[in-house]
Amino acid sequence: MRWTTRIAAAALIGVLQACATPPVQAPPPPPAAVEARPPVTILISIDAFRADYLQRGVTPNLVRLAAQGITGPMRPSFPSKTFPNHWTLVTGLVPDHHGIVGNRMEDPAHPNETFTTASDAPYWWNAAAPIWVEAEKAGIRTGTVFWPGANVAWGSTITKPDHGDYAGGTRPRDWLQYNQAVNDTQRVDTVLDWLRRPAANRPRFVTLYFDRVDVVGHEHGPDSPEVTRAAAAVDAQIRALVEGLAALHQPANLVVVSDHGMSETSDTRVIPLGLPKDSYHLIEAGPFAALNPLPGKEALVEQALLRPHPHMECWRKAEIPARFRYGNNPRIAALFCLAEPRWMIVEKLPDAPFTRGEHGYDNRSADMAALFVAAGPAFRHGTVPAFDNVDVAPLLRDLLALPPKAGLDGDDTPFRAFLQPR
Ligand SMILES: [Zn+2]
């Protein structure tokens, strides 16, 4: 995942001020004066933290949270890409239903526009309301230290920004424009600074996002010592957060997730599409390929793709197997090819895009398994049987005491036995 690093000046100034000012070390108040704070819910994403990284022996703080609360194998939604899954985690819908069907996509309703991970035009996102919009509308203050879509003026129907913004939408009360240069310590400190505010101005729902495990996983591969070190570094930030919350006497329900795992790739495991150059329009290639045949070339392209291939299978969008829950959305291309984990689809040889790790494969493959750990006053202790990540948003609704929402693809069933009675 590569986000364009755009900086909203105001947001960055806020971060810089927060970082330049050391936290005020007030003397601890006498015990009788400690304010009884209601719990804050903090949703933390460690991008591309594969489920088994938890067993590498370098994440004692995540392991401790799992021992205090709940953990279990979580399946991402298809495709196992960053933006589709982050939007699923906060909406409870599969990508086919929430509309973020890839990190890159096109929409017949908006010709000449291409969605990328920098796209903040609300129409791309408006099909499903994220949890922070639901919370803000219920009077619950929210804050996001990054999350895909959290910079979007959700619900705005304006298609072109006016003076750089979209009118009429809803955002988290506090949010920051994504900027990879804001380091992990600054991200944690920003959350703690928000919680240091007077009660009336504190968020009760917060998101926190760490990208380094994903970046290092693409560059060095999931089995590399670099990934193990990155996992340890993020774990240290979890400790800083937990200690900072304790110092504030701030109870918190922490829900720690990843969006997908990571599969080891190599320039020796490459599948060329090998189609004539003038026969198709490619939207994306890699672990999967999404493409539209050009007019008059449909039969030629279908004949080439819809036959058996080693390490790859292709379908017309309507014929993608039902278990992927993918293929109805108008933003999905006419033809879709999926590689086996560890393999990469390219347009032709020899121009293999070479990374050592990739994701986007079958969401039920072991390589794509995602992290899930949750702990705090709302949780009992236990291991949750395998579940799909569409169930996380309904869990967040429970934690925020929002009523159940009809029409979602998931529900809170996997977690009910593990929630403390209210
Ligand atoms: Zn990701």
Side-chain angles (χ1 to χ4, degrees), residues 1 47-48 81-82 86 214 259-260 359:
M1 179 213 60
D47 198 306
K81 287 279 191 178
T82 297
H86 276 93
D214 179 74
D259 48 352
H260 50 71
H359 52 86

Side-chain angles (χ1 to χ4, degrees), residues 256-290:
V256 190
V257 297
S258 65
D259 48 352
H260 50 71
M262 187 67 78
S263 190
E264 188 176 295
T265 50
S266 158
D267 57 1
T268 62
R269 290 190 294 272
V270 174
I271 310 157
L273 286 173
L275 297 166
K277 200 169 178 239
D278 61 350
S279 67
Y280 67 103
H281 169 62
L282 183 75
I283 294 160
E284 196 171 0
F288 61 77

Side-chain angles (χ1 to χ4, degrees), residues 15-365:
V15 173
L16 294 175
Q17 283 172 343
C19 302
T21 312
V24 178
Q25 296 294 326
V34 170
E35 175 199 351
R37 291 168 169 242
V40 60
T41 297
I42 306 181
L43 175 64
I44 303 165
S45 167
I46 310 175
D47 198 306
F49 190 111
R50 201 169 67 190
D52 63 286
Y53 294 173
L54 206 53
Q55 274 92 52
R56 289 191 177 181
V58 298
T59 57
N61 297 287
L62 284 168
V63 168
R64 190 175 307 120
L65 287 178
Q68 293 164 352
I70 61 174
T71 189
M74 183 166 78
R75 289 182 291 258
S77 296
F78 191 78
S80 48
K81 287 279 191 178
T82 297
F83 273 53
N85 276 285
H86 276 93
W87 207 233
T88 290
L89 286 161
V90 295
T91 62
L93 293 169
V94 294
D96 206 22
H97 296 157
H98 67 49
I100 307 298
V101 301
N103 280 353
R104 184 178 173 88
M105 57 185 182
E106 296 176 356
D107 187 336
H110 298 272
N112 310 318
E113 306 280 343
T114 300
F115 177 90
T116 69
T117 56
S119 295
D120 61 355
Y123 66 80
W124 289 110
W125 306 84
N126 280 346
I131 187 82
W132 55 80
V133 167
E134 305 266 353
E136 290 284 352
K137 287 182 173 168
I140 298 168
R141 186 172 178 128
T142 68
T144 50
V145 183
F146 310 144
W147 196 273
N151 58 329
V152 172
W154 190 87
S156 173
T157 53
I158 313 257
T159 51
K160 292 278 179 207
D162 182 28
H163 296 96
D165 203 6
Y166 297 88
T170 303
R171 288 189 174 98
R173 198 83 57 94
D174 293 291
W175 63 281
L176 305 175
Q177 183 68 44
Y178 184 66
N179 179 4
Q180 210 170 27
V182 177
N183 71 32
D184 292 351
T185 299
Q186 292 170 316
R187 298 177 196 197
V188 170
D189 286 349
T190 301
V191 171
L192 294 172
D193 280 343
W194 288 346
L195 295 170
R196 209 170 272 126
R197 291 171 177 168
N201 297 329
R202 270 176 226 150
R204 282 178 48 210
F205 173 78
V206 171
T207 71
L208 179 56
Y209 171 79
F210 298 107
D211 53 279
R212 83 158 68 200
V213 174
D214 179 74
V215 171
V216 174
H218 282 296
E219 192 176 347
H220 298 281
D223 299 324
S224 63
E226 287 86 351
V227 161
T228 302
R229 278 200 291 275
V234 175
D235 187 73
Q237 297 297 336
I238 300 293
R239 183 184 65 200
L241 176 67
V242 168
E243 289 178 354
L245 292 167
L248 290 170
H249 302 279
Q250 173 63 63
N253 290 309
L254 303 181
V255 179
V256 190
V257 297
S258 65
D259 48 352
H260 50 71
M262 187 67 78
S263 190
E264 188 176 295
T265 50
S266 158
D267 57 1
T268 62
R269 290 190 294 272
V270 174
I271 310 157
L273 286 173
L275 297 166
K277 200 169 178 239
D278 61 350
S279 67
Y280 67 103
H281 169 62
L282 183 75
I283 294 160
E284 196 171 0
F288 61 77
L291 59 96
N292 290 313
L294 292 179
K297 306 287 187 182
E298 293 87 350
L300 181 149
V301 173
E302 288 197 353
Q303 196 176 23
L305 295 182
L306 302 179
R307 58 179 176 82
H309 301 270
H311 313 294
M312 176 177 86
E313 193 167 1
C314 301
W315 306 277
R316 293 185 192 95
K317 67 183 285 188
E319 290 158 8
I320 296 172
R323 68 188 183 86
F324 292 116
R325 308 183 76 178
Y326 193 75
N328 289 309
N329 198 287
R331 295 172 181 173
I332 297 172
L335 291 168
F336 190 87
C337 299
L338 180 62
E340 279 175 18
R342 301 162 57 89
W343 286 79
M344 289 281 280
I345 303 170
V346 299
E347 289 194 83
K348 61 179 183 350
L349 294 174
D351 55 339
F354 182 59
T355 54
R356 302 296 300 271
E358 278 297 338
H359 52 86
Y361 300 103
D362 186 336
N363 54 322
R364 292 185 177 237
S365 70

Side-chain angles (χ1 to χ4, degrees), residues 375-391:
F379 295 99
R380 300 175 196 265
H381 168 60
T383 300
V384 187
F387 64 97
D388 297 309
N389 69 350
V390 287
D391 297 329

